[in-house]
Structure formats: C-alpha cells, structure tokens
Amino acid sequence: MNDASSQGLSQLRDALRQFAAERDWDQFHSPKNLAAALAVEAAELLERFQWLTEDQSRKLGPEDLGRVREEMADVLNYLVRLADKLDVDLLEAARAKIVVNAAKYPVEKARGSIKKYREL
Amino acid sequence: MNDASSQGLSQLRDALRQFAAERDWDQFHSPKNLAAALAVEAAELLERFQWLTEDQSRKLGPEDLGRVREEMADVLNYLVRLADKLDVDLLEAARAKIVVNAAKYPVEKARGSIKKYREL
Amino acid sequence: MNDASSQGLSQLRDALRQFAAERDWDQFHSPKNLAAALAVEAAELLERFQWLTEDQSRKLGPEDLGRVREEMADVLNYLVRLADKLDVDLLEAARAKIVVNAAKYPVEKARGSIKKYREL
Amino acid sequence: MNDASSQGLSQLRDALRQFAAERDWDQFHSPKNLAAALAVEAAELLERFQWLTEDQSRKLGPEDLGRVREEMADVLNYLVRLADKLDVDLLEAARAKIVVNAAKYPVEKARGSIKKYREL
C-alpha cells in the first residue's frame, strides 16, 4: 500500500463524497443504509471463498483474485463513506482497537489458542 | 483522517502482522477465515443500526457512536489483514472500483434514482 | 403455510438431502461452509431492501417480492440443510428460544421500547 | 423434525406474532428491519464456526452445539416473522427453489464439481 503517493484514505473519502454528490445519492446514504450495504458487500466477499478449503483460499488464481479485489474495494468504499458520515477517523479507531485487543488477548495466554480466540 | 502523520494503512498492516505473529495466529488467518470474520464484524456493525430509523442513525449519541467506531475498527482491521494475506493494494483497488462504478452509473442517468442504484 | 398437506420441514430436509447426494455435494456441506452460505444468502436477501425506506419495504411490487421470496427460500434451504447435518430440531429450537426471549423481554418492561430491544 | 405433532411453521408464526403484539414491536418489524436482523443472526451463527476447521465444525461439543442451536433458532424466527409480514409461504418457496436449482445444476454436470457450484 503506497500511502505516500496517494495521501490515502482522505483522498478516497473525497472521491466518494464527490461520486455521491454528483448522483444526488446522499439521500440514500444514511448510516443505517451504509452499514447494511457494507454487510452485503462483506458477504459477497465471503461468497468467493465459501466452498473453497482454507488451503485453496490461499492459492487463488488471477481471475478469482480479481473478483476478490473488487469485493474488498466495495467493502472499503462503504466503510470510508460511513466513516465520513459519522466523522470517524478510521485509522485512529483501528489503532485504538489493537491496543484494546492486546490487553484482551495477552501474548502469553493467547498464543496459538483458538479457545481464547474469539475476535481479532 | 490524517494519513500524513500516520503513514496510514501500511503501518496498520504492519501492526496487525505483528499482533498475529506474537500470538501464533497466522495458522487461523486463512483468507477464507478472514473473509468470514470480516462478514461477522460487518454484521455486528449493522446490529448497532438495525432497529433505528434512518434519521436516528444520523444522530447517534456518544455511547452508541463509540461502539460503532469499535465495530468499524474491527472491519478495517480484518480487511487490512486479508489484503496483506492476498497481497492486495486496498487503496488502488478502491480507486479502480470508483472508475468502474462511474462508468456503470453515469451521472445523467443515475441522478437521484434508486432504480439504477444497485451498488456503490 | 400449509404444513398439514406438506408434512413440512421433514419433507424439505429429505428433498435437500437427496439433492446433495445426487450431486455428490456432501463433501462441500460441512457445518462451517453451510453457515457461511447461509450468511451469504441472508445478505442477498438484505440487499433487496438496503436502499428502500422502511415504508417502501412494506409495499414491494410483484417482481421485487418474487426475488425476495427466492432469497428467503435459499435461507431456509441452507438452514434446514445445516440442521440436518447437526441433528438439530429447528422447530423445537425456535420454540425454546421464544421461551427464553419471553423471560428476557418481559411484556411490561419491553413494551414499545427500542432501548430494551436488542434481539428478538 | 416432528411436524405432525407440532403443526410446524404455522404455529411458530402465530407464536411470534403474539410475542411482537404483546410488546408493541410491530412498529420495528418492517421487512427491511427484519431482513437486517436476519442477516445479523446468520452472522452470529457463522461466528460460532469462523475459526474452526471444517472437520472441527462437524464435531461440536454439547456447549458449542447448544449455542449454535440458539443462533439457528434466531434465524428461523426472523425468517418466519419476515414471511408473515410479506405473506410468503416459506415451504412452498423452498420447494420451488429446489426445482429451479435442479434445472440450474443438472446431476450429470454438477456432480462433485465446485466449479459449477455457486449456490444451493
């Protein structure tokens, strides 16, 4: 991920804002609707993997990977759009959650254990 | 979103990589499993909105917003983790998808119309 | 729902069992995979509603309703298939859950209140 | 599944109808909201399996199975509730979908093949 050249998520947010404004779609983009759309896209991403073994999922061919990449893009775009509507700083929230999870899953207790492992 | 100071998604990817390595969790992080975990987190985010009206979803109180922010963080963290495993450049994929969608939903035809509106 | 003439879910379970057997698909139908497929179908159902207002969702036209019905069928079929694999009696489980929920949401406290309302 | 003694889904529909009426929850049960709640419950079901191998998912212990059964009950209850609101006959829809799928996945072509296998 080349954030230096792209200026990253802020630029993406602006592009999505413009995309919606040009189409007068802000009326549909309530946080509730965006959360639903995000869940739908995440499920479409999962659909690409649902009948694969875990091992097959590690070795996608170029066509499957292309589709997976598109679904991941949809997920990110709705997430960034929702963050914009709610004024959430995604990167800050993500970093803060890692700190929370580090306390929740101490290294010495969580190592290699699926029993302790409930969520990232 | 302040990418300049944070270096953005690359740094987040590295933090998540280290988090998993320290706990020996890479064994659980097949793309298939990460896609499932991502869908689960997206649904937990949706759960926060499911009984609200659209209007209520625009006016979350601080407590609800805090929980929503945590769920959004979980979604981003799994998405970044999956992108790392599949070697996908998320920002590039997101930008490419906007170009695809711009062709799919031309401004003059898509304006204000939910009929044409199927996905972002 | 006319269970008397159809013998209901048991017959459906048998039809799905035969469907999978004829195609040698039991190898793909682990509970984990069926749970993923069920979540994907539930999201496809949600997709039909995501940009509608609540009021519009109550007044679907025949075409939209037909699609919704198909997605609901997919959800039920995967749910029945999963129940077969795990030897779960769906109706008994559903009735037991209503008893649990009745205790969790006492009439006098839950009436009309979304605050108490977290899940059915 | 013992539909003979229970009269099956119709009785369940009536119990859920009464449950909502007693709590004045019909105001929250728009088809859109019920579809979202259904997707959320399906994801909670998936969550129980997300870090398990397929083989582990076939051998749940009694505690895990109990939780899985509860989540399956939630899925069925919301599905039946949605069917009630939309006046959909679930069993008829499910049977009709099997006929559609039988034409879509002919036995001789679909046998054992995940490539042809897109949905049930």
Side-chain angles (χ1 to χ4, degrees), chain D residues 63-83:
Chain D
E63 191 184 352
D64 283 337
L65 186 57
R67 287 176 182 171
V68 162
R69 186 186 285 115
E70 281 212 28
E71 302 297 352
M72 293 175 74
D74 287 331
V75 170
L76 183 59
N77 282 341
Y78 278 124
L79 184 63
V80 168
R81 190 87 183 112
L82 180 60

Side-chain angles (χ1 to χ4, degrees), chain D residues 9-22:
Chain D
L9 293 171
S10 305
Q11 205 175 58
L12 183 59
R13 176 203 59 200
D14 292 345
L16 292 166
R17 203 183 277 182
Q18 186 186 340
F19 189 94
E22 287 172 350

Side-chain angles (χ1 to χ4, degrees), chain A residues 6-15 80, chain B residues 1-4 91:
Chain A
S6 68
Q7 301 180 8
L9 291 171
S10 306
Q11 204 176 58
L12 183 58
R13 177 202 60 201
D14 292 345
V80 168
Chain B
M1 298 166 211
N2 185 357
D3 297 324
L91 286 171

Side-chain angles (χ1 to χ4, degrees), chain C residues 89-113:
Chain C
D89 185 321
L90 279 176
L91 286 171
E92 187 182 294
R95 285 188 295 259
K97 193 65 198 293
I98 293 177
V99 174
V100 168
N101 283 341
K104 199 170 169 183
Y105 302 101
V107 166
E108 63 277 14
K109 288 193 179 174
R111 187 173 290 130
S113 167

